[in-house]
Amino acid sequence: MITTEDEYALIDKILAGDRQAYAVLVDKYKNYAFTIALKILERRPEAEEAAQDAFVKAFHHMRSFNRQAKFSTWLYRIVFNTAISYKRKKRPVFQSIENSIVEYSEHADQKMERDDKQLFVAKAMNCLNEADRLSIQLFYLQEFSLDEVAEILGQNLNTIKVRVHRARQRLADELTKILKQEALTL
């Protein structure tokens, strides 16, 4: 486990020209960076590219790191902004269902039900704006505290509290709409 003091020592080494010291920071934060990028971009290859690009940006802007904030918060903000930029450039990708493989197993019904639930939640999440969606994902799925979510998104704590509360309500409303529509099509 790397302490804040250890991180600052690594940052000092990086600023002094030791590029290998940056690998330690990358190794520590690569999973979280990838997860944030994946939540925004929803495609593994783009998320990997965005996370890598964010690490490159962080390396080049290391001198602007303000030690009053945590390094992780500063890095996650760069990852968030990089992923949002990638998403703006994103083009829709279509997949043919003609070559899809359908499998059957004893637990196929349970898997289909779980997949349906995930699909409904994903549809409802896509109806939320990006800030609401990311707030919910960081707080509930990544289990960041509200303070950490506020730091990552660069917003006031009270704003995040209200955003998470309202986003949860909007999510419930969207699920209600989607499930009623699904019931009508059965």
Side-chain angles (χ1 to χ4, degrees):
M1 180 107 189
I2 298 175
T3 65
T4 303
E5 291 78 26
D6 293 337
E7 280 184 356
Y8 290 161
L10 283 170
I11 291 167
D12 289 337
K13 286 181 182 180
I14 294 164
L15 293 174
D18 182 357
R19 293 179 178 221
Q20 293 300 322
Y22 193 59
V24 176
L25 290 177
V26 170
D27 192 49
K28 179 177 180 183
Y29 293 111
K30 66 183 177 188
N31 291 334
Y32 279 131
F34 171 73
T35 302
I36 288 172
L38 185 62
K39 294 296 180 188
I40 295 168
L41 296 168
E42 300 171 345
R43 294 190 64 228
R44 186 176 191 87
E46 289 176 346
E48 288 172 350
E49 189 175 332
Q52 183 177 2
D53 192 22
F55 277 112
V56 171
K57 287 178 183 177
F59 179 79
H60 288 296
H61 294 93
M62 189 66 70
R63 293 206 184 281
S64 69
F65 171 62
N66 179 353
R67 294 180 190 224
Q68 293 174 344
K70 290 166 65 176
F71 176 79
S72 60
T73 303
W74 181 74
L75 176 66
Y76 296 154
R77 186 70 186 165
I78 293 171
V79 173
F80 174 77
N81 289 337
T82 304
I84 292 296
S85 294
Y86 272 66
K87 186 165 185 133
R88 288 182 183 134
K89 298 176 196 173
K90 185 178 176 181
R91 303 284 185 257
V93 176
F94 298 98
Q95 181 179 356
S96 171
I97 61 171
E98 292 178 10
N99 298 326
S100 297
I101 298 173
V102 178
E103 296 180 21
Y104 181 78
S105 70
E106 296 175 17
H107 305 288
D109 291 341
Q110 293 171 348
K111 183 182 180 326
M112 284 178 34
E113 186 175 329
R114 186 183 70 241
D115 290 348
D116 284 347
K117 287 178 184 177
Q118 290 175 344
L119 177 68
F120 293 138
V121 171
K123 280 183 180 179
M125 289 287 283
N126 285 334
C127 293
L128 301 177
N129 65 46
E130 286 184 28
D132 287 350
R133 183 170 50 243
L134 189 60
S135 297
I136 292 257
Q137 290 168 337
L138 290 172
F139 183 68
Y140 288 107
L141 301 178
Q142 296 300 313
E143 298 180 357
F144 283 106
S145 70
L146 288 170
D147 288 326
E148 291 170 322
V149 173
E151 283 184 50
I152 290 169
L153 297 179
Q155 296 180 346
N156 180 305
L157 175 62
N158 289 331
T159 302
I160 293 300
K161 286 179 183 178
V162 170
R163 181 177 299 283
V164 168
H165 176 72
R166 288 183 181 163
R168 191 175 51 225
Q169 288 177 326
R170 285 187 199 113
L171 185 63
D173 292 344
E174 291 300 328
L175 279 169
T176 302
K177 288 179 197 174
I178 290 169
L179 292 175
K180 283 184 183 176
Q181 290 172 353
E182 280 297 313
L184 292 174
T185 61
L186 294 178

